[in-house]
Amino acid sequence: MNAEGIASHPNVEAEPTDVGALLRLQQALAEAVHRAGTTETALQSVVDLICEHTGWQVGHAILVQQGLVVAANIWHLESPRKYKPFSEA
């Protein structure tokens, strides 16, 4: 899916209408990152929380290292069996 497809996805809102939900998400993200013992654990928590908030069934973390985009081995797969091909691509 390209950027236009993502932006037009039904769960992506141009203007958030539930500020309370966004504040709760922000608080949950901050707490999860604070509790995480490693960068990988923090990223996994962030991807999971954002996917849960948006209703996305698949999420993936990417990193920028030395100016290059690098895929992290961090995935949120609502149904691992169903979405395994995404993580193997």
Side-chain angles (χ1 to χ4, degrees):
M1 182 179 296
N2 62 21
E4 290 175 2
I6 292 170
S8 65
H9 191 277
N11 289 335
V12 177
E13 299 179 21
E15 291 186 37
T17 55
D18 188 349
V19 174
L22 291 176
L23 290 173
R24 288 188 296 278
L25 173 62
Q26 183 180 19
Q27 180 67 35
L29 291 168
E31 290 173 2
V33 169
H34 180 72
R35 283 192 312 266
T38 66
T39 301
E40 290 79 15
T41 302
L43 282 171
Q44 185 66 64
S45 296
V46 166
V47 170
D48 289 340
L49 287 166
I50 290 173
C51 286
E52 290 168 13
H53 176 79
T54 59
W56 291 354
Q57 295 182 9
V58 177
H60 183 221
I62 59 170
L63 307 170
V64 178
Q65 296 176 339
Q66 300 176 351
L68 300 173
V69 175
V70 179
N73 191 24
I74 296 173
W75 288 87
H76 171 87
L77 302 173
E78 189 70 29
S79 173
R81 174 182 270 164
K82 182 177 180 180
Y83 296 113
K84 188 176 181 181
F86 282 97
S87 64
E88 293 177 338

